[in-house]
Amino acid sequence: MEQDWNVTVLRKRAADKAKVSRTNSEVNAARRAGAVVATEKKTTTNAGHANTDHARIAKLDRDNDVTAPPKIDVSVGKAIQKARGDKSLTQKDLAQLINEKPQIVNEYEAGKAVPNQQILGKLERALGVKLRGKGIGEPLTFGKKK
């Protein structure tokens, strides 16, 4: 990125007594006083940003489509409902057991929730059924062989 600087040197008599000014008011005051005013334009480059590949970044921006996060599978919601019914718990009771809001349990049962491994783990332990991986809805065995 290039930056343009306007540098104005105010001279009255000798070059060794030159003054650099960047404001219009100082330049105008020097002109009124009869000083010699010389203006130079200096250009600087910020080397840190000089080699950035803007085309590649723009392409990445165009390619990033916003997609909705994945929702929990309906089979998991049905397994939660069945296990909760077998233990004769309400959604509110189950929510209290796992220290979550009843709305969370409702969203998981309806298949509208974004999966959270911590909440799924709490639900598995409270209900005693698998809700992740293979065998969703099967009783938890805790490492015991069948």
Side-chain angles (χ1 to χ4, degrees), residues 87-105:
K87 290 198 168 209
S88 61
L89 294 170
T90 64
Q91 285 184 348
K92 184 177 179 183
D93 294 338
L94 179 58
Q96 284 179 339
L97 272 176
I98 65 168
N99 271 347
E100 296 291 341
K101 294 180 181 177
Q103 179 183 356
I104 299 291
V105 175

Side-chain angles (χ1 to χ4, degrees), residues 73 75-80 129-139:
D73 195 46
S75 63
V76 175
K78 291 194 186 294
I80 294 171
V129 295
K130 285 185 71 173
L131 300 174
R132 300 177 280 189
K134 295 179 182 175
I136 292 174
E138 293 177 3

Side-chain angles (χ1 to χ4, degrees), residues 27 42 46 64 92 110 117 130 142:
V27 173
K42 293 185 179 180
N46 189 348
N64 287 346
K92 184 177 179 183
Q117 296 304 315
K130 285 185 71 173
F142 294 108

Side-chain angles (χ1 to χ4, degrees), residues 41-123:
K41 191 168 192 175
K42 293 185 179 180
T43 306
T44 60
T45 305
N46 189 348
H49 297 286
N51 298 327
T52 306
D53 188 3
H54 297 290
R56 182 180 54 83
I57 293 170
K59 183 175 185 256
L60 282 173
D61 284 343
R62 285 191 303 272
D63 288 346
N64 287 346
D65 295 329
V66 177
T67 57
K71 302 289 185 205
I72 198 138
D73 195 46
V74 179
S75 63
V76 175
K78 291 194 186 294
I80 294 171
Q81 283 178 342
K82 182 179 181 307
R84 185 174 56 81
D86 292 346
K87 290 198 168 209
S88 61
L89 294 170
T90 64
Q91 285 184 348
K92 184 177 179 183
D93 294 338
L94 179 58
Q96 284 179 339
L97 272 176
I98 65 168
N99 271 347
E100 296 291 341
K101 294 180 181 177
Q103 179 183 356
I104 299 291
V105 175
N106 186 344
E107 288 174 357
Y108 272 83
E109 286 187 3
K112 295 179 182 176
V114 176
N116 181 331
Q117 296 304 315
Q118 279 187 316
I119 294 175
L120 284 170
K122 290 180 190 178
L123 286 167

